[in-house]
Amino acid sequence: MEVKSLKPSELKWTCPTDFFEFDKSSELAPSKEIVGQGRAVRAVKLGLEIPSSGYNMFVTGVSGSGRETTVKRILDQIDTTTDKLTDLCYVYNFEDSTRPRALVFPAGQGKQFKEGIELCVELLQKNIPVVLRSESTASEKGLLLESFSAEKKELMGAVEKAAIDAGFSMVSIPTGQGQNRPDVLPVIDGKPHTYEQLQQLAAEEKITQEQLTEYRNLHTDLFKQLTTAIRQAQNIEIKAQVEVERLYRRILKPTVTGILDRLSGIGNKESSEYVEKIAETILTNIDVFSSNTEEADPYVIFEVNLIVDNSDRKKRPVVVEQFPDVVRLFGNIDRIVIDNKPYSDHTMIRAGSFLRANGGYLIINAMDVVRQQGLWQTLIQTVRNRTVITRPNEITRAFMPIELQPEPIDVDVKVILIGPGWLYTTLASQDPDFGYLFRIRADFDDRMEVSRKNVTDFAGVIAYICQSESIRPLSSGAMGAIAEQAVRLTGRKDKISLKFNMVADYVRQASYWAGQDERDVVTKKDVHKAISEKQYRLSLGEDYATNRILENQVIVATDGSAVGQLNGLAVYSGADHSFGLPSRITATVSPGVEGIINVERESEMSGRIHTKGVYVITGFFREHFALDYPLSLSAGIVFEQSYGGVDGDSASSTELYALLSALSGAPLRQDLAVTGSVNQHGRIQPIGGVNYKIEGHFKICRARGLTGTQGVMIPDSNVVHLQLHRDVIEAVENKQFHIYPIATIEEGISLLTGIEAGKKSAHGTYPADTVLGMADKRLRQMAETVRDFGGGH
């Protein structure tokens, strides 16, 4: 059966002119709708609206498919109003200053509490000194001290009387600079004498030894009385001090508690306990809090560090963390240097995104998380325990003599990770916690069906991009050209791309070229210019490879015919550009038992899929030949001038054609290039990159001169993928180039040789004048040769 080349209309989807009812896109209502993502939208809504634990979300899909934008828009659409938001504060821990306490308040009360504490501190600083210096306080203190002074005076008076009665006197003896000690000394001739002076009098016989001994004994007894009295006096002073402090506490307590009472009703039990601790701390350290020194403010420990303030928020917070790391996600503790020593306290704790998103949603790029060592583990621990622990960053931590350990804070955050599908699969298989912590997967598609409604919706999004970025509006023709390019991006002419970041680049660049020609509206010509300019910018490597063929450095024939030789097609892909080129594939055969030798495999240049394709060819030979004789051949298949690895099975049909030609002796057309996978039954199967492959061979043929017979053979199942450039279609229209859809090896070999492939008879043989018949005859001869050769040995 004759294979007909495809019509120009089959080579590309062309946007119907009646799809757009506008002259320029500014007439369209810009669309913020989520286009073509119905499945993903349903998954996102489910994940966002189920409040249960574990319903965090992983949003997959290619970059530019609108994943983050869609999540934000759905959050805007659903009602996230709540009265359960909280404010988060850190305060001083009176029991352990290295472990600041966390206080949680209903939204708005945290700010009230902080401002209330500030007002209370201001009032306390003013009122405590005033109360302590008041006349009533001074009067009570005076009476209290007077009673203790009288008691002490009476005590010391008794010792002094005993000393006088014994002929002694109480004196104060200097012991050093500004220091004295009390003592009792005997009085002789109206003067007190020390023991050394008494010894001198005894030596001068002014007193007797008996008198000296009596003076010493009396001194010992009186000194004991004196020291006892001094100790009792000191105890009286301590008691007086305690009573004064008790007096101050009694007098100040109404003032302190009265001032702090204005905080009642704010917060919960924990905040009330904290306020009580403030009062207790002040009343037990009155001397500290009553001083007016400017060197150190004792009230600083009462400062409230409000790290999350939701006082003005009525809806659940949506936090998008663009630069996730340990500090930005989980917070940090700052430090300062005082006297050359690092210092931190509760006022230096800073909240991260997790705490700011408490009660709401946190959106993070998953790739940014897994790229940082240890960050994924910390994230999973936080999500699993629903608790945030804030620690100083590693650099600060190394210099901290005492590390602050703030109290962990329980959080209710729905985490939304955005990343590629392969990362989701990897995490799901490697992390045992991942599955039950991220129970919702929203998979964003990168394409949608081509239909009038979908293309119209697509145009609405493009109109929105033009409006939001102040890009020149597109004419209806330009919009159609953009849609056609979006279809090409999918590799199928029945699908249109949803990679709006890539599509928008063409729109921006087309607007630029319109501006260069001083047009206010982008035309189809500008779009084509943008496409061709991008192709030119990125095709340096392609041009080098093409020129090597045109200069015959890489040998590829585009006319004539040859036995066992055919042009295959390969795609070369870079980071931002792909292109196709033909390459020569040759096959040789001889009698033998080695079978089909894959030279690429033998030289360790063949990938696994390519090797599989060669084995499939062996299966084809088993089915079509050698039913009544052994398959006895040695065949070599080579990608000529291939110095890199070869993989994929898209050349397996080409290799099979070359083998059939080598066996049958039928020459193959060199003006055709071939692509297509094949199965064991000879059915041609679809391959990837069909547009690049066709355009690559066309480029070589055009450069050498189109003959009208040149073309490409592709699998018939790849017709749906065709979205070819205009120059290829024009050549087909002018019958200068042809594209043939091939369903079977039989169809292909007939087209390549101009000889009937041949149909197997009931006896398992083929007509002698067909390609398969000639191949079968050669295989029989080789089997006999191998048999005879073996018999001779």
Side-chain angles (χ1 to χ4, degrees):
M1 185 176 106
E2 182 183 358
V3 179
K4 294 184 178 180
S5 63
L6 294 174
K7 299 175 184 178
S9 61
E10 297 176 283
L11 305 181
K12 178 183 179 182
W13 174 81
T14 302
C15 185
T17 56
D18 63 349
F19 268 23
F20 305 129
E21 299 176 355
F22 60 84
D23 292 326
K24 54 184 180 180
S25 60
S26 56
E27 299 169 10
L28 278 175
S31 174
K32 291 185 179 181
E33 294 299 316
I34 302 162
V35 176
Q37 303 290 0
R39 187 194 308 269
V41 167
R42 288 174 64 177
V44 170
K45 284 186 176 180
L46 179 69
L48 293 178
E49 294 181 347
I50 292 181
S52 303
S53 175
Y55 278 84
N56 299 293
M57 192 186 321
F58 199 109
V59 182
T60 58
V62 298
S63 179
S65 56
R67 297 167 298 177
E68 182 179 322
T69 302
T70 298
V71 172
K72 290 179 182 177
R73 287 183 182 174
I74 293 175
L75 283 169
D76 288 339
Q77 293 170 6
I78 65 177
D79 184 11
T80 58
T81 304
T82 180
D83 58 357
K84 296 182 180 180
L85 295 181
T86 56
D87 295 338
L88 305 177
C89 301
Y90 271 109
V91 295
Y92 184 79
N93 187 336
F94 296 99
E95 281 75 32
D96 185 351
S97 61
T98 66
R99 297 177 179 271
R101 289 190 58 191
L103 297 181
V104 181
F105 297 89
Q109 290 192 18
K111 185 176 182 180
Q112 293 178 24
F113 189 75
K114 175 180 174 64
E115 292 174 348
I117 289 289
E118 292 171 351
L119 177 59
C120 288
V121 165
E122 184 180 345
L123 292 174
L124 289 168
Q125 288 175 319
K126 290 179 179 179
N127 284 274
I128 287 177
V130 171
V131 171
L132 293 180
R133 293 169 189 159
S134 66
E135 291 185 7
S136 59
T137 302
S139 176
E140 286 194 54
K141 179 181 178 182
L143 292 174
L144 183 64
L145 293 177
E146 186 178 341
S147 65
F148 284 107
S149 177
E151 185 178 351
K152 189 167 67 171
K153 185 177 181 180
E154 180 181 352
L155 187 65
M156 298 305 294
V159 175
E160 186 175 11
K161 182 177 183 303
I164 293 172
D165 291 344
F168 280 68
S169 174
M170 289 181 61
V171 297
S172 181
I173 299 176
T175 58
Q177 186 176 2
Q179 295 182 345
N180 298 280
R181 67 175 178 83
D183 204 347
V184 285
L185 298 177
V187 177
I188 300 174
D189 297 332
K191 294 182 179 180
H193 287 67
T194 64
Y195 185 72
E196 289 78 8
Q197 291 173 331
L198 291 176
Q199 287 180 319
Q200 182 64 34
L201 291 176
E204 296 174 356
E205 297 182 352
K206 291 182 180 181
I207 61 173
T208 66
Q209 287 295 326
E210 290 78 8
Q211 287 177 312
L212 177 63
T213 301
E214 183 181 1
Y215 280 131
R216 185 173 61 242
N217 292 336
L218 285 172
H219 176 267
T220 299
D221 181 57
L222 289 171
F223 191 75
K224 286 181 179 179
Q225 293 182 44
L226 176 61
T227 55
T228 299
I230 290 172
R231 282 195 298 271
Q232 291 176 344
Q234 289 173 341
N235 290 335
I236 290 171
E237 289 177 354
I238 293 172
K239 186 177 179 181
Q241 184 178 355
V242 169
E243 289 301 320
V244 169
E245 290 177 356
R246 187 175 297 166
L247 170 67
Y248 282 169
R249 285 198 297 273
R250 177 174 59 80
I251 292 174
L252 282 176
K253 186 174 182 179
T255 300
V256 173
T257 57
I259 290 173
L260 293 175
D261 276 348
R262 66 189 62 238
L263 298 172
S264 63
I266 302 177
N268 51 23
K269 179 182 177 182
E270 285 75 17
S271 57
S272 298
E273 290 176 351
Y274 174 71
V275 173
E276 291 174 3
K277 285 289 185 181
I278 292 177
E280 180 182 341
T281 300
I282 293 174
L283 294 175
T284 53
N285 298 276
I286 292 174
D287 57 333
V288 174
F289 291 95
S290 62
S291 62
N292 289 323
T293 176
E294 296 181 358
E295 293 183 0
D297 180 8
Y299 291 91
V300 72
I301 64 172
F302 303 143
E303 183 177 343
V304 175
N305 183 6
L306 179 60
I307 60 173
V308 176
D309 179 11
N310 284 316
S311 56
D312 297 327
R313 188 183 296 277
K314 302 300 180 185
K315 293 187 175 183
R316 299 183 184 276
V318 178
V319 178
V320 181
E321 184 48 74
Q322 301 284 5
F323 305 97
D325 57 26
V326 171
V327 170
R328 292 184 67 88
L329 282 177
F330 308 110
N332 190 28
I333 304 174
D334 297 339
R335 70 183 178 98
I336 58 175
V337 177
I338 300 177
D339 296 331
N340 293 322
K341 294 180 180 179
Y343 171 80
S344 292
D345 60 30
H346 71 281
T347 65
M348 301 177 187
I349 302 171
R350 304 291 177 255
S353 299
F354 245 97
L355 291 179
R356 290 188 286 108
N358 189 27
Y361 311 90
L362 177 58
I363 303 173
I364 316 172
N365 187 301
M367 286 298 296
D368 291 339
V369 175
V370 298
R371 286 189 182 109
Q372 299 188 50
Q373 184 177 5
L375 187 56
W376 174 257
Q377 181 181 357
T378 307
L379 175 67
I380 283 293
Q381 290 173 341
T382 302
V383 174
R384 181 182 62 236
N385 298 319
R386 306 184 77 181
T387 302
V388 171
I389 299 177
T390 302
R391 293 287 182 264
N393 64 63
E394 293 300 323
I395 297 176
T396 302
R397 202 171 187 173
F399 294 96
M400 295 300 294
I402 300 176
E403 181 181 332
L404 280 188
Q405 298 183 23
E407 182 181 356
I409 296 178
D410 293 337
V411 292
D412 177 19
V413 178
K414 190 174 290 291
V415 178
I416 303 166
L417 295 178
I418 298 176
W422 66 263
L423 179 58
Y424 176 90
T425 303
T426 301
L427 294 173
S429 61
Q430 298 296 322
D431 193 326
D433 291 334
F434 182 80
Y436 71 83
L437 292 177
F438 291 87
R439 300 187 184 187
I440 297 295
R441 178 182 181 180
D443 197 8
F444 276 68
D445 204 347
D446 63 350
R447 62 194 64 189
M448 63 180 173
E449 297 289 334
V450 170
S451 67
R452 185 186 187 99
K453 179 183 183 305
N454 285 348
V455 174
T456 302
D457 290 343
F458 172 90
V461 175
I462 299 301
Y464 171 74
I465 293 172
C466 291
Q467 183 191 70
S468 61
E469 297 185 20
S470 300
I471 296 173
R472 292 175 177 83
L474 277 64
S475 68
S476 59
M479 187 68 78
I482 288 292
E484 290 167 8
Q485 183 63 16
V487 168
R488 180 180 169 87
L489 291 176
T490 69
R492 292 181 62 101
K493 61 185 175 185
D494 57 350
K495 304 285 185 181
I496 188 167
S497 178
L498 295 173
K499 298 178 182 178
F500 285 106
N501 62 337
M502 297 179 66
V503 175
D505 278 342
Y506 288 107
V507 176
R508 297 181 188 107
Q509 292 169 31
S511 176
Y512 168 81
W513 292 114
Q516 293 298 297
D517 289 343
E518 299 182 350
R519 280 190 293 274
D520 295 329
V521 177
V522 178
T523 65
K524 180 187 291 189
K525 175 184 174 183
D526 300 318
V527 175
H528 291 161
K529 176 76 170 176
I531 294 170
S532 62
E533 284 291 324
K534 181 177 182 181
Q535 169 74 16
Y536 177 75
R537 289 195 305 274
L538 301 176
S539 61
L540 180 61
E542 178 183 357
D543 289 345
Y544 278 125
T546 300
N547 289 335
R548 282 174 57 80
I549 294 175
L550 297 176
E551 295 167 358
N552 291 320
Q553 299 298 312
V554 174
I555 301 174
V556 173
T558 53
D559 57 12
S561 61
V563 174
Q565 173 181 304
L566 190 58
N567 294 326
L569 290 167
V571 173
Y572 303 87
S573 295
D576 50 11
H577 182 62
S578 298
F579 62 93
L581 282 177
S583 62
R584 174 174 287 182
I585 297 174
T586 61
T588 58
V589 295
S590 68
V593 294
E594 289 88 353
I596 300 174
I597 299 172
N598 177 6
V599 175
E600 265 66 36
R601 180 175 181 272
E602 295 301 317
S603 59
E604 299 183 350
M605 295 171 65
S606 175
R608 289 179 297 176
I609 298 176
H610 176 254
T611 300
K612 176 187 174 184
V614 175
Y615 287 141
V616 169
I617 294 174
T618 303
F620 174 89
F621 274 86
R622 289 197 186 100
E623 177 173 296
H624 287 73
F625 307 108
L627 296 181
D628 56 354
Y629 59 89
L631 190 61
S632 306
L633 84 159
S634 292
I637 301 175
V638 180
F639 278 74
E640 302 291 356
Q641 294 183 281
S642 171
Y643 307 110
V646 176
D647 203 3
D649 63 352
S650 66
S652 57
S653 65
T654 313
E655 294 167 328
L656 181 50
Y657 292 136
L659 279 172
L660 291 174
S661 172
L663 284 168
S664 66
L668 301 173
R669 291 173 58 179
Q670 301 299 293
D671 54 356
L672 296 179
V674 179
T675 185
S677 168
V678 66
N679 66 19
Q680 294 185 106
H681 306 296
R683 182 69 172 89
I684 305 299
Q685 302 171 141
I687 45 80
V690 65
N691 292 303
Y692 298 124
K693 291 177 177 180
I694 293 171
E695 291 160 0
H697 186 59
F698 172 79
K699 189 174 182 179
I700 297 296
C701 294
R702 182 178 59 182
R704 287 178 172 174
L706 294 174
T707 63
T709 64
Q710 296 152 330
V712 176
M713 291 166 48
I714 67 170
D716 62 345
S717 51
N718 274 123
V719 173
V720 70
H721 301 116
L722 295 179
Q723 189 71 6
L724 293 167
H725 282 154
R726 291 174 298 121
D727 48 3
V728 179
I729 297 173
E730 288 173 2
V732 172
E733 285 177 343
N734 296 327
K735 301 189 182 303
Q736 294 178 311
F737 197 76
H738 307 275
I739 298 169
Y740 298 98
I742 305 298
T744 64
I745 286 292
E746 289 80 3
E747 287 182 2
I749 197 67
S750 296
L751 180 61
L752 287 166
T753 62
I755 304 172
E756 285 293 325
K759 187 174 182 180
K760 187 187 292 187
S761 69
H763 303 290
T765 60
Y766 297 91
D769 59 349
T770 63
V771 176
L772 296 182
M774 290 184 284
D776 183 55
K777 179 181 178 181
R778 179 75 184 280
L779 287 169
R780 288 178 184 274
Q781 292 172 347
M782 288 193 293
E784 292 174 0
T785 300
V786 171
R787 181 193 63 198
D788 295 342
F789 181 78
H793 284 72

